[in-house]
């Protein structure tokens, strides 16, 4: 059967590659400078480049054009020695260890293979029409397509022609074809990725006409794309982030709870709100100040970007007091300077604004007033903007919120230092994040940046950007689109995509919706309730019932802090998304290709958010070849099936993979209280798992580049089962500039059916068996550099 399917697949691909540009003719093969294979055709030149054996770049340079080598996305260095080339009468084959490019001379055709299996081929390749330049490819009819940035379309985005133009969609719900963060990226269920390495605006046509055609369309620019492949989805995300840059590690406090709304009007209101969290014993780590920190009114003050002392008379003292209590302050900024703002005259005089066709500061109206836009591409504009940030950060502010960075209103007649509005529109947020990130590196080199933005481009993750999904409606429909958006963006390198928990737009005061959104947020990269001020986003201002349920969710978020911080490490080192689609687990299961209602949080936690009102139960699919534990009841469930799960109002369905080690922290009010010298370490035992190992990463949570600077520890846990004995080993890998710590673990083993015969940890025989929950608790004290062994004798 497998051979028949393989023959059928190859037949489909063979049919597909017969579609090509019949007007293009092969003329010659040559080696370009730096040992790059080059194919000359009648209307231009193809140049091929390898970054690794699994990342291949193809550039077409039309006749009469100069080669443009500038990429806004790629940071990897090419490997010019990696290709092997062979030429025959009818074809040329360019190989790496993994990828094969077959160039048929007549009729001209370029096709790509991974480990000799067909992936994709150019259809007409490069074609220029009256308004757009396009790159066209053949698809097989059964491919599911992902990508194009943040959209609400269903996981399978095939059948759509999607505009590449970052634009806010206020109050969206279950369907949005155009949002704040578009990307020229396509991923296929056949496990490859195409990245179109070109910044100007355009379209991605994902077979909208149903003729098995993928088309990239742009107004101008490079005709360059990279093919990224791998043996698994994790290989692909790792390779893509090798190409475009890894996300720096977030400060640990960024995994805590944020107090945020639109907005806090005064210093008194800020400090009162945080005191309410303290009074209610609800953990909180940061407060976000919206635009009232620089002005009293909603309109007319944008661009002031200096403290409005009438409302915040002791801003610096406020920030210090909050910080002493473990609460960071984050301030909003925008790239717009209104003509009514305090800085308009200065911005015009210093020529830091984008211009019109006559070279004068461009002015136009939008919601907040008559405005100009900072030209971050002009050295003077970048320096001027960073000086503002430097002053803000010197007041003790811990993070920067960049809003409206699509830019929200960006007329095509506006001119920037490096090109027109349409040429830089999609990379404006990307380079705004770069401006801030590089400023941190220069002036605050010992601080991990926190940069919250809603618009960017391919590779923005390398500047520490934390994206959110824009002004979602405060409705169940708004919630329903969020898992898809976050999962898709994680596949495209932006692993910290999250939403305004509870929803942003509208005055819908629905406690059930609010609580369910926050319960989903426990298993999101960033936990940040936010809303328009008509409805409170902070749990301390909700009903007693909603407050209690929200508190329970937030406390769970803090208990999972060591597990979540390890996900930050995995993303930084290996490009792994924090939220992962189930087809990452079962890449050969087409029923999961368009599925987002249940997902993996890291490797070992399965989450099924409640996305509809009034439900008492919902179906959950459990990935095959695994045993899963109910996180709350400890019930075991065999994978490979869909089960109906009863719902509880104080939690959403959550499950843990058998064989997992899940570290848990003690109760915290802020992450400032966190100590990594004590863990509850939960192990989920099933007899089918004979050996299991996990690593848990830790560092001080603050200093940049801890791995490169050897300031970290990796705790290594291993379980081996032999007959009726379980043996646990605990070790640690320590960075050269870190001193190993004494630690205490409370090892808690779930899944045993009866009390063990005995337990031994060195000389200790101490353990506790809890019959009601069938859990075994073992205190373990560990000294640095020792191999700690726990032996458990089970009853026969």
């Amino acid at each position: 059967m497998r051979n028949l399917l393989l023959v059928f697949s190859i037949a489909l691909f063979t049919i597909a590659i017969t579609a090509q540009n019949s007007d293009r003719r092969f003329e010659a093969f040559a080696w370009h400078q730096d040992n790059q294979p080059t194919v000359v055709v009648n209307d231009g030149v193809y140049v091929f480049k390898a970054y690794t054996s699994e990342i291949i770049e193809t550039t077409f340079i039309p006749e009469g054009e100069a080669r443009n080598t500038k990429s806004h996305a790629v940071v990897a260095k090419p490997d010019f020695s990696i290709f092997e080339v062979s030429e025959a009468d009818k074809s040329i084959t360019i190989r790496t260890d993994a990828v094969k490019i077959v160039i048929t001379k007549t009729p001209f055709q370029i096709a790509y293979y991974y480990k000799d299996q067909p992936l994709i081929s150019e259809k007409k390749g490069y074609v220029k029409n009256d308004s757009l330049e396009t790159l066209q490819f053949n698809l097989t009819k059964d491919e599911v397509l992902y990508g194009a940035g943040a959209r609400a379309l269903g996981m399978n985005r095939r059948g759509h022609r999607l505009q590449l133009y970052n634009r806010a969609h206020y109050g969206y719900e279950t369907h949005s074809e155009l949002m704040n963060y578009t990307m020229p990226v396509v991923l296929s269920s056949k496990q490859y990725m195409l990245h179109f390495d070109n910044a100007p605006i355009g379209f991605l046509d994902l077979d909208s006409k149903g003729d098995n055609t993928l088309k990239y369309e742009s107004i101008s620019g490079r005709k360059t794309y990279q093919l990224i492949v791998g043996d698994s989805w994790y290989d692909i995300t790792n390779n893509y982030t090798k190409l475009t840059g890894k996300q720096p590690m977030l400060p640990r406090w960024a995994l805590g709870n944020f107090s945020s709304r639109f907005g806090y009007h005064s210093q008194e209101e800020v400090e009162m709100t945080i005191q309410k969290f303290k009074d209610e014993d609800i953990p909180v780590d940061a407060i976000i100040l919206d635009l009232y920190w620089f002005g009293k009114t909603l309109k007319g003050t944008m661009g002031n970007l200096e403290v409005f002392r009438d409302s915040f008379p002791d801003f610096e003292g406020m920030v210090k007091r909050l910080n002493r209590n473990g609460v960071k302050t984050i301030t909003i900024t925008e790239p717009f300077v209104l003509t009514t703002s305090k800085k308009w005259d200065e911005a015009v005089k210093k020529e830091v604004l984008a211009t019109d066709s006559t070279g004068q500061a461009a002015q136009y109206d939008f919601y907040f007033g008559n405005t100009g836009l900072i030209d971050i591409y002009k050295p003077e504009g970048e320096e001027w903007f960073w000086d503002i940030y430097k002053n803000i950060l010197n007041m003790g502010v811990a993070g920067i919120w960049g809003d409206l960075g699509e830019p929200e209103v960006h007329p095509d007649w506006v001119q920037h230092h490096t090109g027109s509005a349409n040429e830089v529109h999609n990379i404006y947020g990307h380079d705004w994040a770069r401006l801030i990130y590089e400023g941190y590196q220069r002036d605050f080199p010992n601080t991990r940046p926190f940069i919250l933005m809603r618009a960017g481009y391919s590779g923005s993750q390398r500047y520490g950007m934390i994206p959110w999904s824009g002004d979602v409606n405060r409705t169940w429909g708004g919630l329903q689109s969020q898992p898809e958006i976050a999962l898709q963006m994680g596949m495209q390198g932006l692993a910290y995509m999250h939403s305004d928990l509870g929803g942003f737009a509208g005055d819908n005061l629905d406690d059930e919706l609010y609580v369910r959104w926050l319960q989903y947020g426990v298993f999101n990269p960033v936990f940040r309730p936010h809303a328009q001020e008509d409805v409170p986003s902070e749990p301390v201002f909700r009903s007693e019932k909603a407050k209690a349920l929200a508190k329970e969710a937030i406390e769970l978020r803090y208990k999972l802090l060591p597990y979540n911080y390890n996900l930050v490490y995995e993303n930084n080192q290996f490009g792994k998304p924090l939220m992962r689609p189930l087809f990452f687990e079962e890449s050969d299961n087409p029923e999961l290709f368009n599925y987002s209602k249940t997902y993996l949080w890291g490797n070992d936690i399965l989450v099924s958010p409640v996305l509809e009102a009034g439900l008492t139960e919902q179906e959950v699919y459990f990935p095959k070849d695994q045993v899963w534990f109910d996180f709350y009841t400890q019930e075991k469930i065999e994978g490979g099936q869909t089960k109906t799960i009863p719902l509880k109002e104080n939690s959403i369905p959550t499950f843990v993979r058998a064989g997992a080690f899940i570290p848990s922290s003690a109760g915290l009010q802020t992450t400032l209280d966190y100590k990594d010298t004590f863990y509850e370490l939960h192990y989920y035992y099933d007899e089918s798992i004979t050996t299991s190992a996990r690593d848990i990463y830790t560092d001080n949570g603050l200093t940049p580049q801890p791995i490169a600077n050897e300031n970290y520890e990796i705790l290594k846990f291993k379980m081996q089962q032999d007959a009726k004995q379980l043996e646990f080993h605990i070790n640690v890998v320590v960075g050269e500039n870190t001193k190993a710590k004494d630690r205490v673990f409370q090892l808690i083993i779930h899944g045993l059916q009866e009390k063990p015969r005995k337990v031994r940890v060195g000389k200790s025989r101490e353990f506790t068996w809890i019959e009601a929950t069938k859990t075994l608790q073992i205190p373990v004290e560990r000294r640095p550099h020792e191999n700690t062994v726990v032996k458990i004798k089970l009853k026969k």
Side-chain angles (χ1 to χ4, degrees), residues 515-523 599 606-611 618 630-632 645-655:
V515 168
R516 290 306 194 193
W517 211 319
L518 266 61
Q519 290 168 345
Y520 160 67
V522 172
F523 307 98
Y599 63 90
L606 185 73
V607 182
S608 185
V610 177
L611 305 176
Q618 71 183 28
D630 188 301
F631 184 74
Y632 299 100
I645 304 298
L647 298 179
K648 303 173 185 176
E649 68 175 0
N650 67 334
S651 64
I652 57 176
T654 307
F655 307 88

Side-chain angles (χ1 to χ4, degrees), residues 168 180-181 402-406 408 452-456 467-468 470-471:
N180 311 71
Y181 206 124
D403 198 13
L404 314 182
E406 295 76 28
E408 182 163 293
L452 179 68
M453 290 190 171
R454 72 183 193 187
W468 88 96
D471 295 339

